[in-house]
Amino acid sequence: MTKKIVSKLNRRQFLHHMGVGVSASLLASQSMPNAVANDGLLTVDSLSALTKDELPTALSGSESLFGQVAQRVECIKPTIETRLFASSNVGSRDARNQLALQRVACAGLQVQNPEIVSRQYLRFAGTDSQRASDLQNIATGAISAPKLLLGVRGGYGASRLLPMVDWATLGRLMQERGTILTGFSDVTAIQCALLAKGNMSSLAGPMLYSEFGKTTPDRISCQQFVEALTNPKLTIEVDNAELTSPKLPAVLATNDSRSTTGTIWGGNLSVVSALTGSEYLPRIDGGIVFLEDVGEQTYRIERMLYELYLAGVFKNQQAIVFGAFSGAGEDSYDKRYDVATVVRQLHKLTGLPIYSGMRFGHIAQKASFPLGTTCEIQPNNSGGYQLRFSDYPTIEASALHVEGLWA
């Protein structure tokens, strides 16, 4: 995707428009490779330091955290009003945070609260009150709703905030402004609460620290992120079920030619199942449930799916879409007991059509897409399917410069 560059800025002008701290100035005044290396990002971010929200991407070869730093590109003046929300884990490397802030500004996002990336309380990105305030201050009117609410990272902690936010008011204000909230992994809890109590959509997509702070951001994920932000008629093609299980067909249904239209909702399976029985789990009649996860053994995947099934979550749903189930591994009791077996059992239990292989989850080269909005699933003649999305807020394409995200 080629974006129009609104205005080229020199380094000093760019930093002025960014409004971020001294660390970002260091990054801009040195070469990026030297600044990153000086902070130890190329050596300190070892596998032992990775959390669940970034592990598979770090193990995916050329898309790893340890790849070569991308070349410098021209930046545009950031004009898209953006606020960060840090609902979960702390982003522990300051230079990585600052590098991510510089990149999103280069791409056109005017971040209004960059200081929150330095918060920490225990493992979290601040106390519960601090993290909840990122969203609650918008609900109370203390802060105007921005155009974009960008998650910092996943991990754990978002569920602790759910009773502390006025989701109904937040959703109403976001609808009035056309605000887009984006994230995934543990941010699923925020997205589910926003839909369940605020009737507001969100975007399943990459986050500040997790993606844009990498030594080498995944360009395809960045491109797909901007595509989802700017295209009001987003479509995604799925050819096979490889990301869910290579032993499955892409479409598992009694009538594999029937199209389905409904509100798509869900996210990370571990988080969705943890909300079972709460007021924060959406109750969508005629919905389409999307689920993905990472690093969960097969029996745990099935147990969480059974938890949803036994709670009646799949009743009145039209279909289930599975994204990536990366790092599931083999069952130590019987290797035949795999993800494909689990999915087939769920199809037998629910009778719902199941679409597998959606390119989203804890993987590289993911396709961002809106949650809580209208989705049409249309099987094709080659065994795959297409997802078409509508009725969600977008951003003017000319205000974004995708190459900035990997500058």
Side-chain angles (χ1 to χ4, degrees), residues 358-393:
M358 168 70 163
R359 183 161 284 281
F360 190 85
H362 295 71
I363 55 170
Q365 302 182 359
K366 52 178 161 278
S368 300
F369 68 98
L371 289 164
T373 193
T374 302
C375 176
E376 179 186 358
I377 305 177
Q378 179 63 61
N380 58 37
N381 295 327
S382 58
Y385 59 95
Q386 181 186 72
L387 301 103
R388 303 170 185 163
F389 303 89
S390 58
D391 304 323
Y392 52 92

Side-chain angles (χ1 to χ4, degrees), residues 101-370:
L101 287 168
Q102 182 172 2
R103 282 177 171 148
V104 298
C106 183
L109 306 184
Q110 188 181 50
V111 176
Q112 299 171 337
N113 58 336
E115 68 281 355
I116 76 165
V117 301
S118 62
R119 292 185 325 213
Q120 182 171 4
Y121 173 73
L122 302 175
R123 63 174 288 153
F124 307 113
T127 65
D128 289 356
S129 294
Q130 287 175 320
R131 290 180 291 124
S133 71
D134 295 341
L135 301 172
Q136 179 61 9
N137 282 345
I138 298 173
T140 62
I143 295 171
S144 299
K147 184 58 183 175
L148 182 66
L149 277 165
L150 176 62
V152 173
R153 75 176 302 183
Y156 168 70
S159 60
R160 296 170 59 134
L161 313 182
L162 300 186
M164 304 174 69
V165 177
D166 180 353
W167 299 104
T169 302
L170 178 63
R172 176 178 59 79
L173 293 173
M174 288 176 63
Q175 287 178 31
E176 292 174 357
R177 176 65 200 276
T179 301
I180 304 167
L181 180 147
T182 181
F184 79 114
S185 192
D186 194 54
V187 175
T188 293
I190 302 296
Q191 294 169 312
C192 282
L194 185 61
L195 179 59
K197 300 180 74 66
N199 195 31
M200 182 61 193
S201 66
S202 59
L203 186 71
M207 295 176 285
L208 182 82
Y209 185 91
S210 304
E211 185 63 56
F212 308 130
K214 290 179 181 176
T215 302
T216 307
D218 173 8
R219 293 194 182 195
I220 292 179
S221 292
C222 292
Q223 290 166 339
Q224 293 298 310
F225 174 59
V226 171
E227 175 72 9
L229 284 175
T230 59
N231 187 350
K233 297 293 181 182
L234 181 71
T235 63
I236 296 174
E237 302 281 349
V238 180
D239 297 325
N240 57 64
E242 190 78 19
L243 291 173
T244 304
S245 170
K247 297 180 182 180
L248 285 169
V251 182
L252 186 60
T254 54
N255 181 358
D256 58 9
S257 64
R258 182 175 69 89
S259 65
T260 302
T261 301
T263 299
I264 190 166
W265 66 278
N268 181 258
L269 173 60
S270 300
V271 178
V272 171
S273 65
L275 296 178
T276 302
S278 77
E279 61 187 297
Y280 306 106
L281 187 70
R283 291 162 176 80
I284 308 293
D285 287 335
I288 297 170
V289 187
F290 170 80
L291 299 167
E292 57 81 23
D293 218 317
V294 57
E296 297 288 357
Q297 296 183 51
T298 305
Y299 81 92
R300 289 176 58 85
I301 293 172
E302 181 169 282
R303 184 165 63 192
M304 290 184 284
L305 290 171
Y306 257 91
E307 182 175 11
L308 296 174
Y309 168 72
L310 294 173
V313 172
F314 295 121
K315 289 182 179 179
N316 300 321
Q317 300 304 293
Q318 296 191 72
I320 301 169
V321 177
F322 283 124
F325 279 90
S326 45
E330 295 180 340
D331 187 270
S332 60
Y333 288 91
D334 192 326
K335 294 181 180 179
R336 296 172 297 177
Y337 183 63
D338 55 13
V339 172
T341 302
V342 169
V343 173
R344 291 184 184 279
Q345 174 68 2
L346 184 65
H347 176 57
K348 179 180 177 181
L349 283 172
T350 64
L352 294 174
I354 295 179
Y355 302 88
S356 296
M358 168 70 163
R359 183 161 284 281
F360 190 85
H362 295 71
I363 55 170
Q365 302 182 359
K366 52 178 161 278
S368 300
F369 68 98

